[in-house]
């Protein structure tokens, strides 16, 4: 499947709930997994159905090479640990530290603070109800993908949080270099 990029309208729409986890939904999920695995530069860690042109409440997450896919259908999120004022402000000087990116916004990166600990109710790919807690990197991915289901792309979060946005470019040795862009 082709990953759609901004400003494709489907990316700014609210996705519709899945009525029934049937064969065609399961096929779509399989295609999404294959599509995510083909994203190598940068490596894809999550993909939401609107990013393949389907306005449905489905996303998949795969935080690392070795981790399995987690499939979320009709998810709803409860924040268990809020961002607090103790959360250190995003660094202005080290864009390589922890930048969020998106397969639908090639070469754009931004500083986004996400809640560290969540509980998510969702259906898995078999249509079974799940209720699980997530923390760390997968919690960040979940919040990024939830935003996709609500038609929100991460630069909005960067803007809301007054963070910095960067554009990456390949250097001579194929390494990524970053420079800050105006929002
Ligand atoms: Zn994204």
């Amino acid at each position: 499947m082709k990953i759609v990029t901004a400003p494709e309208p489907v990316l700014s729409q609210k996705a519709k709930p899945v009525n029934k986890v049937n064969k065609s939904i399961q096929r779509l999920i399989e295609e999404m997994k294959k599509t995510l695995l083909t994203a190598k530069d940068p490596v894809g860690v999550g993909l939401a159905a609107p990013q393949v042109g389907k306005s449905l409440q489905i996303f998949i997450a795969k935080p690392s090479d070795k981790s399995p896919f987690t499939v979320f259908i009709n998810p709803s999120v409860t924040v268990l640990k809020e961002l607090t004022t103790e959360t250190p402000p995003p660094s202005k000087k080290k864009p390589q530290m922890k930048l969020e990116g998106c397969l639908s916004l090639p070469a754009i990166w931004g500083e986004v603070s996400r809640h560290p600990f969540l509980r998510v109710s969702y259906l898995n790919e078999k249509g079974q109800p799940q209720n699980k807690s997530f923390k760390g990197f997968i919690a960040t991915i979940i919040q990024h993908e939830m935003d996709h289901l609500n038609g929100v792309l991460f630069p909005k979060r960067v803007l809301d949080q007054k963070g910095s946005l960067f554009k990456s470019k390949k250097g001579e040795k194929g390494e990524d270099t970053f420079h800050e862009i105006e929002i």
Side-chain angles (χ1 to χ4, degrees):
M1 294 182 112
K2 202 172 163 294
I3 296 177
V4 301
T5 53
E8 192 67 38
V10 70
L11 292 172
S12 42
Q13 287 166 10
K14 221 169 147 54
K16 293 175 205 69
V18 172
N19 287 327
K20 195 169 189 300
V21 182
N22 55 22
K23 283 259 153 57
S24 82
I25 293 292
Q26 285 165 339
R27 259 198 303 273
L28 169 64
I29 291 165
E30 286 314 305
E31 290 299 318
M32 286 172 65
K33 288 180 183 175
K34 280 186 213 157
T35 304
L36 186 59
L37 289 175
T38 60
K40 294 283 186 210
D41 190 20
V43 172
V45 291
L47 188 69
Q51 293 182 277
V52 292
K54 305 280 182 197
S55 191
L56 289 168
Q57 289 183 20
I58 303 170
F59 67 81
I60 59 176
K62 192 177 191 302
S64 76
D65 253 7
K66 288 178 187 120
S67 47
F69 285 103
T70 309
V71 176
F72 298 84
I73 301 168
N74 298 347
S76 84
V77 168
T78 310
V79 174
L80 295 179
K81 196 168 172 206
E82 296 280 348
L83 274 172
T84 64
T85 45
E86 288 130 59
T87 308
S91 161
K92 291 273 180 203
K93 286 184 187 137
K94 295 178 181 163
Q96 74 274 24
M97 287 308 283
K98 204 184 174 188
L99 290 177
E100 203 165 304
C102 180
L103 297 172
S104 294
L105 290 166
I108 305 288
W109 302 89
E111 295 168 322
V112 188
S113 297
R114 299 287 191 181
H115 302 295
F117 194 20
L118 312 170
R119 179 165 284 275
V120 190
S121 299
Y122 59 99
L123 302 176
N124 66 14
E125 57 195 307
K126 293 179 182 137
Q128 298 158 332
Q130 309 286 308
N131 192 317
K132 291 187 183 167
S133 305
F134 297 91
K135 60 181 176 181
F137 186 43
I138 191 163
T140 293
I141 298 171
I142 289 168
Q143 287 164 88
H144 178 110
E145 303 307 331
M146 283 301 291
D147 277 351
H148 275 301
L149 302 189
N150 288 310
V152 171
L153 297 175
F154 80 87
K156 179 180 187 314
R157 299 291 173 213
V158 175
L159 198 62
D160 290 348
Q161 296 175 4
K162 301 185 167 49
S164 298
L165 207 56
F166 300 88
K167 204 164 172 38
S168 67
K169 210 173 78 184
K170 288 287 170 211
E172 282 172 12
K173 292 168 189 156
E175 80 285 9
D176 287 311
T177 58
F178 296 89
H179 68 271
E180 194 167 343
I181 54 178
E182 295 291 323
I183 26 178

